[in-house]
């Protein structure tokens, strides 16, 4: 399995889109590209299982490397472990669904799909990179497409939101930049090679100095408190597919970076800073949940709840044990699918009712049963109903968290648990108001989902249910990767 | 006689200069045919520059050259060709077209000698040759008052800078008793007088590079000059100065690295921060690019402060990237300015509706200037910061990284105006001539390829290593 295919296909699709003659061609080419990516990732998944069951215990499979800038010892290294494969699965599913949802995008369709595929290109590259420079390169590639997607096709205060998002994410990557340069020189290894860096013991003082930069830098991408403010504005102003990509893929770049770069390479510092991470994560969980209570706009509801849900990711990472880290990765996948589904459904509703305000809607279940059913599923996943992925992921994080007997960690765990109740309140309230009651008047007759919307919803729901009903396949995928990270933490921390 | 091949770049330019004079003296040629011929000549000049480069010294060691210098001169040659192509619209309508080329080739000749100088006297002469024609070029928009003002400001501030430089040179001569770089480096000791001389020399350089606090002339001169000259000033003139920094000052003042480092550190921090803060508030696109170029110099100084082969290589590589990126930005600004006559950022609102191609060009150029991948600017900035970080001064790196955010803010301002803002009367659709199209496509190809493809950086790094091992320091 050649991982560079995952880079070539999105790039070819993006460039190919520019040469299309009309919107029809653009759509079908995009769909074809996304489908090929999806099939490739599925093939990768099975190849990965096959390799593992054949007794291949390398930390990273399908690894390839070539020298890029020899004078600075910058290499282009790709490879995947279970964590990256699960992230790639998420990316492929969201990209496919995103393309389907934006089927009717007519204004500047070429540019729109070009940017979508460029964003996907960045995400794929990020998840398969095993060199911090390459990782950073792809992380930044993904910033500008988001800016343009929000700024051009967005709604509401789109320019403001786009600017805020681009600058805050750029700020995050600036922190990452300083951190990685520090790691390069101070580790004594003079390399960005992730595997090599994980073998050398970076001096304790260096770790303490540069871990916060790396963790906060990546943390900005995953809405670490107090750098979460771009999330609500950015998500709500973005076009539907943009929100899906943002919440489903882009926020996961941060979580993955926190885990793969910051925690993996600097375990001592991770142990040292764990209380702070947990503190910030708990604040994000609680604050996000309560802030959602006050929202009346469906997109804002989902955006703030994303802050809360991503808090679980950071909580899991901060707990520094295998169960919690596995849970954190599962939560990334689960939240990615769930929130993409949520934004897709909100987009569908908005297209028909031309409003996103909860108060202006009602009784939609009668008018569009399919869409509302999907809406219910997304909501129930969000509040953690067993049988859907949210339950599995959050439960794993909380179980891991409870393993830690310190009082402060216990309190954090209890608070995080309690937030689920708040989640239930806002989800049930919103779904109830939107779906039940008498049907409110709308300008146009409401019709139910079209085939492409159904297909998009189906793909995401399939993922959610697959994780919710049979979580072991994902668990088996992630656990070896989490184990390797844990081994470093156990062997090195004092 | 065989030695003359060392002077190849300079001889070629001199020949060009003579041909231009002959063409001017000969029968009347129309502007367009003159332009065609001069472009062809510049292209030939650029191509020959790549062949038969050797290293060695001439004129009693007053002049030296090596592969690195040849490479740098080629870059500048290419930049000149790009300027001539991209501003063909403005040049075509100018009544003194031949003079423009004579002057611009003369100043480039000065810069070549400056890069190759191995003696402070030659260096000073070359600097003057490079500066005085530039002042004339600045006032080349004959019917604009601002342009004459720009020329005046340029000549005054240059004279001032030269004065400071001369003072520094004379002090250095007083301390070491020689003007030759080779001997100087072994004689220099870190006493007070030498430090003072170094500061004066540095100030002279800083003037030409428009390092804050010696930047005050920059914005007015950039704004007043015709776009072709502005892009020459900001790309080629600056590039030459940076090359001199890396290949000369690096080695001559090696014993005083610590003092140099302090100076460069202060210059870098001030240039980045002040340049960026002022750029945020500009309305005129040329003024805006002027301040952004001040900020870019700060980044270059950050890389130079590393005092390593990587530092010199990354600075040289950044100039290559900068030639492409800034030239693309100025090409669009110049085309719009000479076609429509408008220059403020607000005029670019809704530009995408009418000129999608030019909008993408400008956007890509600005992203490259801001250091966004996959453009070459990302690699350029990364290498600079990485070279700077080798010293272990993370305060400098942090300031630079923060400045990248500020710079993104104002680069996005233009992108936003072009792509997102609504406008009732956007700039009308502009038809591009062949020359303009060629220049733009070369620039964009350079921006997109020269970073991801590691060839250019490797070549530059290789020749830097070679050059530093040949010169007997």
């Amino acid at each position: 399995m050649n991982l560079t295919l995952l880079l070539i296909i999105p790039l070819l699709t993006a460039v190919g889109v520019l040469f299309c003659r009309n919107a029809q061609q653009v759509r079908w080419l995009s769909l074809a590209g996304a489908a090929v990516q999806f099939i490739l990732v599925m093939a990768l998944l099975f190849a990965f299982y096959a390799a593992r069951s054949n007794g291949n215990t390398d930390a990273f499979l399908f690894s390839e490397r070539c020298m890029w800038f020899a004078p600075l010892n910058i290499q282009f290294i790709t490879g995947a472990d279970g964590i990256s494969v699960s992230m790639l699965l998420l990316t492929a599913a969201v990209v496919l669904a995103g393309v389907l949802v934006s089927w009717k995008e007519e204004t500047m369709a070429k540019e729109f799909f070009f940017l979508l595929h460029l964003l996907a290109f960045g995400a794929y590259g990020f998840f398969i990179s095993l060199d911090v420079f390459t990782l950073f390169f792809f992380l930044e590639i993904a910033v500008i497409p988001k800016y343009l997607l929000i700024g051009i096709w967005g709604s509401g205060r789109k320019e403001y939101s786009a600017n805020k998002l681009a600058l805050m994410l750029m700020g995050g990557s600036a922190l990452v930049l300083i951190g990685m340069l520090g790691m390069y020189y101070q580790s004594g290894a003079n390399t960005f090679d992730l595997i090599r860096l994980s073998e050398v013991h970076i001096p304790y003082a260096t770790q303490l100095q540069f871990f916060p930069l790396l963790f906060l830098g990546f943390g900005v991408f995953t809405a670490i408190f107090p750098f979460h403010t771009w999330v609500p504005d950015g998500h709500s102003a973005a076009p539907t597919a943009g929100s899906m990509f943002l919440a489903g893929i882009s926020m996961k770049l941060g979580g993955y970076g926190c885990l793969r770069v910051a925690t993996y390479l600097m375990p001592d510092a991770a142990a040292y800073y764990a209380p702070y991470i947990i503190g910030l994560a708990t604040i994000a969980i609680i604050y996000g949940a309560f802030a959602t209570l006050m929202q009346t706009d469906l997109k804002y509801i989902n955006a703030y709840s994303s802050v809360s849900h991503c808090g679980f990711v950071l909580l899991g990472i901060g707990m520094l044990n295998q169960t919690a880290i596995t849970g954190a990765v599962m939560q990334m996948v689960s939240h990615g699918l769930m929130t993409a589904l949520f934004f897709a459904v909100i987009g569908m509703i908005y297209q028909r009712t031309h409003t996103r305000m909860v108060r202006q809607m009602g009784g939609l279940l009668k008018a569009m049963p399919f869409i509302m059913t999907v809406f219910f599923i997304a909501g129930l996943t969000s509040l953690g109903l067993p049988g859907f992925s949210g339950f599995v992921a959050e439960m794993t994080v909380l179980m891991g968290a409870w393993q830690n007997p310190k009082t402060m960690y216990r309190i954090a765990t209890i608070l995080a648990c309690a937030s689920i109740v708040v989640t239930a309140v806002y989800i049930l309230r919103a779904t109830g108001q939107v779906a039940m009651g008498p049907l409110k008047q709308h300008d146009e007759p409401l019709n139910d989902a079209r085939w492409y919307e159904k297909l998009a919803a189906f793909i995401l729901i399939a993922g959610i249910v697959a994780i919710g009903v049979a979580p072991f396949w994902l668990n088996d995928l992630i656990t070896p990767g989490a184990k390797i990270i844990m081994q470093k933490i156990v062997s090195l921390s004092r | 006689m065989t030695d003359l091949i060392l002077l190849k770049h300079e001889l070629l330019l001199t020949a060009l200069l003579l041909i231009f004079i002959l063409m001017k003296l000969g029968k009347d040629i129309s502007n367009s045919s003159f332009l065609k011929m001069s472009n062809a000549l510049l292209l030939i000049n650029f191509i020959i520059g790549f062949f038969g480069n050797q290293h060695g010294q001439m004129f009693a060691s007053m002049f030296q050259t090596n592969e690195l210098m040849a490479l740098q001169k080629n870059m500048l040659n290419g930049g000149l060709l790009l300027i001539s192509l991209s501003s063909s619209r403005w040049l075509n309508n100018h009544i003194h077209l031949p003079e423009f080329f004579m002057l611009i080739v003369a100043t480039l000749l000065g810069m070549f000698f400056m890069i190759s100088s191995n003696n402070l006297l030659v260096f000073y002469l070359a600097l003057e040759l490079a500066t005085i024609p530039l002042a004339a070029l600045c006032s080349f928009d004959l019917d604009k008052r601002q342009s004459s003002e720009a020329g005046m400001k340029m000549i005054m501030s240059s004279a001032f800078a030269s004065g400071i430089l001369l003072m520094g040179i004379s002090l250095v001569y007083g301390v070491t008793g020689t003007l030759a770089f080779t001997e100087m480096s072994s004689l220099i000791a870190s006493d007070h007088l030498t430090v003072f001389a170094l500061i004066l020399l540095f100030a002279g350089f800083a003037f030409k590079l428009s390092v804050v606090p010696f930047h005050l002339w920059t914005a007015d001169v950039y704004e007043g000059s015709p776009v072709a000259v502005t892009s020459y000033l900001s790309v080629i003139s600056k590039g030459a100065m940076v090359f001199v920094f890396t290949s000369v000052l690096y080695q001559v003042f090696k014993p005083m690295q610590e003092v140099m480092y302090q100076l460069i550190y202060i210059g870098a921090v001030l240039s980045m921060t002040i340049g960026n803060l002022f750029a945020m508030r500009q309305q005129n696109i040329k003024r805006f690019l002027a301040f952004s170029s001040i900020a870019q110099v700060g980044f270059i100084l950050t890389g130079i402060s590393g005092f390593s082969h990587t530092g010199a290589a990354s600075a040289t590589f950044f100039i290559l990237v900068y030639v492409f990126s800034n030239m693309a930005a100025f090409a669009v600004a110049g085309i719009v300015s000479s076609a429509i006559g408008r220059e403020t950022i607000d005029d670019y609102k809704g530009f995408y509706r009418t000129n999608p191609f030019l909008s993408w060009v400008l956007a890509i150029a600005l992203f490259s200037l801001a250091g966004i991948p996959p453009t070459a600017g990302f690699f350029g900035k990364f290498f600079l910061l990485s070279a700077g970080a080798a010293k272990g001064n993370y305060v400098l790196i942090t300031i630079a990284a923060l400045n990248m955010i500020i710079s993104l803010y104002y680069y996005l301002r233009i992108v936003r105006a072009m792509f997102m803002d609504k406008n009732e009367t956007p700039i009308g659709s502009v038809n591009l001539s062949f020359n303009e199209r060629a220049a733009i496509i070369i620039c964009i190809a350079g921006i997109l390829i020269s970073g991801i493809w590691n060839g250019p950086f490797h070549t530059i790094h290789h020749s830097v290593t070679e050059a530093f091992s040949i010169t007997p320091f």
Side-chain angles (χ1 to χ4, degrees):
Chain A
M1 184 74 202
N2 193 342
L3 286 176
T4 29
L5 273 180
L6 286 176
L7 291 176
I8 296 168
I9 301 289
L11 197 62
L12 279 184
T13 322
V15 175
V17 159
L18 290 180
F19 290 100
C20 287
R21 262 188 245 113
N22 52 35
Q24 190 74 9
Q25 286 181 355
V26 169
R27 264 176 230 150
W28 283 105
L29 181 67
S30 296
L31 182 61
V36 172
Q37 286 160 35
F38 190 75
I39 293 165
L40 271 178
V41 174
M42 284 317 246
L44 173 71
L45 177 68
F46 288 110
F48 189 85
Y49 276 131
R52 279 278 186 256
S53 62
N54 286 341
N56 188 341
T57 52
D58 292 351
F60 297 98
L61 270 61
F62 316 117
S63 191
E64 272 175 60
R65 59 175 65 218
C66 64
M67 199 43 113
W68 198 359
F69 293 100
L72 288 166
N73 201 7
I74 290 174
Q75 306 177 59
F76 188 86
I77 314 175
T78 54
D81 68 347
I83 299 179
S84 7
V85 173
S86 50
M87 288 293 131
L88 290 171
L89 267 177
L90 168 69
T91 311
V94 174
V95 169
L96 189 55
V99 167
L100 283 170
V101 163
S102 7
W103 200 251
K104 283 285 161 219
E105 185 65 62
E106 298 280 356
T107 45
M108 295 200 266
K110 251 185 212 182
E111 289 87 342
F112 183 82
F113 283 101
F114 170 75
L115 291 172
L116 276 193
H117 288 293
L118 198 61
L119 185 46
F121 170 72
Y124 280 117
F126 183 83
F127 290 131
I128 61 171
S129 303
L130 288 182
D131 182 278
V132 186
F133 176 83
T134 330
L135 201 91
F136 181 69
F137 173 75
F138 286 114
L139 180 74
E140 283 215 336
I141 278 193
V143 173
I144 289 302
K146 292 175 212 165
Y147 171 79
L148 291 174
L149 278 174
I150 297 176
I152 300 177
W153 291 273
S155 55
R157 292 200 301 165
K158 52 183 183 157
E159 290 93 357
Y160 167 79
S161 312
N163 235 343
K164 190 170 178 179
L165 172 133
L167 293 178
M168 286 192 74
L169 294 190
M170 194 66 187
S173 41
L175 292 181
V176 173
L177 174 65
I178 306 166
M180 61 192 268
L181 284 176
M183 200 161 65
Y184 179 89
Y185 287 108
Q186 305 299 316
S187 68
N190 282 18
T191 179
F192 288 116
D193 178 352
L194 209 103
I195 302 167
R196 178 84 193 87
L197 279 172
S198 73
E199 285 159 1
V200 295
H201 184 213
I202 301 173
Y204 191 55
T206 309
Q207 290 197 21
L208 288 191
Q209 195 181 352
F210 292 108
F211 177 84
L213 293 172
L214 282 172
F215 199 90
L216 274 182
F218 284 117
V220 173
F221 281 79
T222 194
I224 196 171
F225 185 86
F227 301 110
H228 64 281
T229 48
W230 63 272
V231 177
D233 289 323
H235 286 49
S236 54
T240 304
S243 309
M244 289 168 67
F245 275 45
L246 266 181
I249 303 173
S250 169
M251 283 176 84
K252 308 304 171 278
L253 301 180
Y256 181 84
C258 284
L259 195 60
R260 174 72 80 223
V261 180
T263 313
Y264 182 44
L265 298 182
M266 302 190 177
D268 295 339
Y272 178 85
Y273 287 107
Y276 303 98
I277 298 172
I278 288 169
L280 289 179
T282 316
I283 295 175
I285 293 173
I286 298 290
Y287 166 81
F290 277 101
T292 318
L293 275 182
M294 306 303 296
Q295 305 305 319
T296 53
D297 179 323
L298 277 178
K299 271 199 163 180
Y300 270 100
I301 290 182
N302 197 26
Y304 271 108
S305 86
S306 285
V307 175
S308 172
H309 285 301
C310 280
F312 277 94
V313 176
L314 292 173
L315 185 75
I317 296 175
M319 286 297 170
L320 290 182
N321 62 54
Q322 195 179 318
T323 321
I325 286 180
T326 312
V329 179
M330 284 176 123
Q331 171 73 354
M332 281 199 265
V333 179
S334 154
H335 175 255
L337 292 171
M338 180 273 286
T339 201
L341 183 65
F342 225 136
F343 276 123
V345 143
I346 294 170
M348 294 175 206
I349 297 175
Y350 179 69
Q351 233 173 26
R352 290 166 174 78
T353 61
H354 300 289
T355 178
R356 292 196 312 244
M357 294 319 221
V358 174
R359 292 211 186 88
Q360 295 172 9
M361 288 183 251
L364 292 180
L365 187 58
K366 274 179 221 130
M368 28 196 195
F370 182 86
I371 293 181
M372 281 338 270
T373 316
V374 176
F375 189 67
F376 278 134
I377 293 176
L380 294 177
T381 314
S382 175
L383 65 75
L385 192 79
F388 296 122
S389 62
F391 170 75
V392 177
E394 280 174 15
M395 207 57 205
T396 318
V397 171
L398 292 173
M399 270 168 58
W402 196 256
Q403 286 174 13
N404 213 324
K406 280 189 208 146
T407 322
M408 186 208 143
Y409 289 22
R410 281 276 150 88
I411 295 172
T413 315
I414 293 169
L415 284 173
C417 269
S419 82
I420 294 178
V421 182
V422 187
T423 312
V425 173
Y426 62 72
I427 291 291
L428 293 177
R429 203 170 60 183
T431 43
Q433 269 188 1
V434 172
M436 314 296 187
L439 183 61
K440 296 238 171 93
Q441 277 300 313
H442 293 288
D443 301 340
E444 298 160 35
L446 303 173
N447 48 2
D448 209 358
R450 312 288 294 271
W451 67 270
Y452 45 85
E453 290 168 333
K454 282 185 181 164
L455 192 57
F458 176 75
I459 293 165
L460 295 172
I461 291 174
I464 289 173
V465 173
I467 299 172
V469 175
F472 51 83
W473 65 271
L474 187 62
N475 192 31
D476 290 351
L477 199 61
I478 298 168
T479 308
K483 211 178 251 168
I484 291 169
I485 295 174
M486 275 317 297
Q487 272 166 2
K488 264 204 90 182
I489 292 169
V490 173
S491 70
L492 291 177
S493 60
R494 48 212 85 196
Chain B
M1 204 43 205
T2 48
D3 277 0
L4 279 180
I5 190 125
L6 295 177
L7 271 171
K8 183 188 69 184
H9 282 95
E10 289 75 10
L11 286 177
L12 276 170
L13 279 190
T14 319
L16 273 186
L17 191 57
L18 291 174
I19 294 173
F20 287 143
I21 291 177
L22 287 177
M23 277 160 76
K24 165 80 181 169
L25 290 178
K27 64 180 167 57
D28 274 346
I29 324 175
S30 73
N31 266 0
S32 59
S33 49
F34 185 91
L35 206 55
K36 270 188 198 121
M37 284 171 74
S38 59
N39 281 340
L41 287 172
L42 286 174
L43 181 64
I44 294 169
N45 170 44
F46 174 65
I47 292 171
I48 299 180
F50 283 95
F51 298 104
N53 292 314
Q54 294 175 0
H55 57 84
Q57 296 181 334
M58 281 189 88
F59 305 134
S61 297
M62 280 178 147
F63 176 93
Q64 60 164 354
T65 186
N66 55 38
E67 273 83 0
L68 175 65
M69 288 170 182
L71 199 64
Q72 293 170 337
K73 288 171 190 170
N74 286 338
M75 279 155 64
L76 300 185
N77 267 335
L80 181 58
L81 177 61
L82 284 176
I83 290 181
S84 159
L85 287 175
S86 65
S87 43
S88 55
R89 192 179 296 249
W90 175 76
L91 289 173
N92 237 333
N93 299 327
H94 204 285
I95 48 168
H96 291 298
L97 181 65
E99 284 84 348
F100 176 85
F101 278 98
M102 288 174 213
L103 286 170
I104 212 160
V105 167
T107 120
L108 192 63
L109 184 61
M111 284 168 194
F112 281 8
F113 272 113
M114 196 164 76
I115 292 171
S116 279
S117 60
N118 199 18
N119 182 301
L120 271 178
L121 207 59
V122 175
F123 171 76
Y124 179 70
L125 282 175
L127 186 75
E128 290 303 302
L129 177 57
T131 310
I132 293 170
L134 254 182
L137 282 170
C138 283
S139 44
F140 226 65
D141 252 343
L142 299 175
D143 46 359
K144 274 196 195 159
R145 242 174 215 220
Q146 274 185 322
S147 186
S148 325
E149 183 194 327
M152 203 62 201
K153 278 201 170 128
M154 179 79 197
I155 197 81
M156 298 295 267
S157 58
S158 296
F160 189 58
S162 300
I164 293 177
L165 201 67
L166 271 182
M167 174 93 180
I169 292 176
S170 59
L171 282 180
V172 171
Y173 184 68
V175 174
T176 60
T178 176
L179 285 172
F181 289 159
T182 332
E183 294 159 32
M184 213 183 287
S185 62
S186 54
L187 292 171
I188 272 180
S190 210
D191 57 50
H192 291 305
L193 193 57
T194 325
V195 171
F196 185 54
L198 173 64
I199 291 176
L200 287 175
L201 273 181
F202 183 83
F205 276 110
F207 247 110
K208 305 284 175 189
L209 261 181
S210 57
V211 173
V212 177
F214 307 104
H215 67 292
L216 294 165
W217 59 277
T218 317
D220 288 342
V221 172
Y222 278 32
E223 187 186 1
S225 312
V227 179
V229 180
T230 312
S231 53
Y232 185 87
L233 269 172
S234 83
V235 180
I236 298 192
S237 155
K238 241 171 222 180
M241 274 329 267
V242 169
F243 294 151
V244 174
F245 239 92
T246 52
S247 49
V248 179
L249 271 192
Y250 244 42
Q251 303 177 357
V252 176
F253 289 100
K254 214 170 193 175
M256 300 179 67
Q257 250 186 43
E258 281 315 303
V259 188
M260 276 287 280
Y261 183 75
Q262 295 302 329
L263 290 174
I264 292 181
Y265 179 28
I266 297 169
V269 170
L270 286 179
S271 301
M272 280 189 283
T273 317
I274 308 252
N276 273 334
L277 291 180
F278 276 87
M280 277 161 74
R281 302 191 53 81
Q282 299 308 317
Q283 271 306 318
N284 181 294
I285 194 153
K286 269 152 65 185
R287 258 187 114 78
F288 164 85
L289 285 169
F291 279 107
S292 101
S293 83
I294 292 175
Q296 304 281 2
V297 167
F299 283 102
I300 299 175
L301 288 181
T302 310
I304 291 179
S305 77
F307 286 105
S308 58
H309 289 186
T310 330
S314 61
T316 311
F317 176 70
F318 189 80
I319 292 298
L320 174 71
V321 175
Y322 193 59
V323 167
F324 289 131
S325 331
N326 229 13
M327 217 59 107
F330 273 116
V332 178
I335 290 166
V336 170
S337 146
S338 50
I340 320 275
R342 288 197 254 169
E343 280 180 359
T344 69
I345 292 175
D346 281 341
D347 291 329
Y348 282 81
K349 284 184 179 171
F351 193 50
Y352 185 71
R353 297 257 166 229
T354 48
N355 295 287
F357 176 68
L358 284 182
S359 302
W360 276 116
V361 170
L362 188 51
I364 291 175
L366 294 175
F367 288 149
S368 180
L369 288 173
I372 303 283
T375 59
F378 168 78
F379 295 91
K381 285 246 169 89
F382 187 90
F383 296 153
L384 285 176
L385 293 195
S386 151
K391 278 263 171 188
N393 185 347
Y394 292 99
V395 178
L396 177 59
I397 303 304
T398 309
I399 294 172
L402 293 179
N403 269 299
M404 281 177 77
I405 309 173
I406 306 179
S407 70
L408 182 68
Y409 168 78
Y410 60 72
Y411 289 126
L412 286 184
R413 246 183 77 200
I414 298 184
V415 175
R416 172 184 165 167
M418 291 191 301
F419 285 86
M420 301 170 198
D421 287 339
K422 303 263 180 297
N423 191 352
E424 295 295 309
T425 53
I427 295 173
S429 182
V430 182
N431 286 324
L432 296 179
S433 69
F434 173 78
N435 283 350
E436 291 163 344
R437 205 172 279 272
I440 285 174
I441 288 174
I442 293 171
C443 288
I444 291 299
I447 291 173
L448 292 180
I449 294 170
S450 66
I452 291 184
W453 177 45
N454 55 21
F457 184 69
H458 279 187
T459 315
I460 288 169
H461 194 272
H462 178 75
S463 44
V464 165
T465 326
E466 290 266 294
F468 283 11
S469 64
I470 290 165
T471 29
F473 290 114

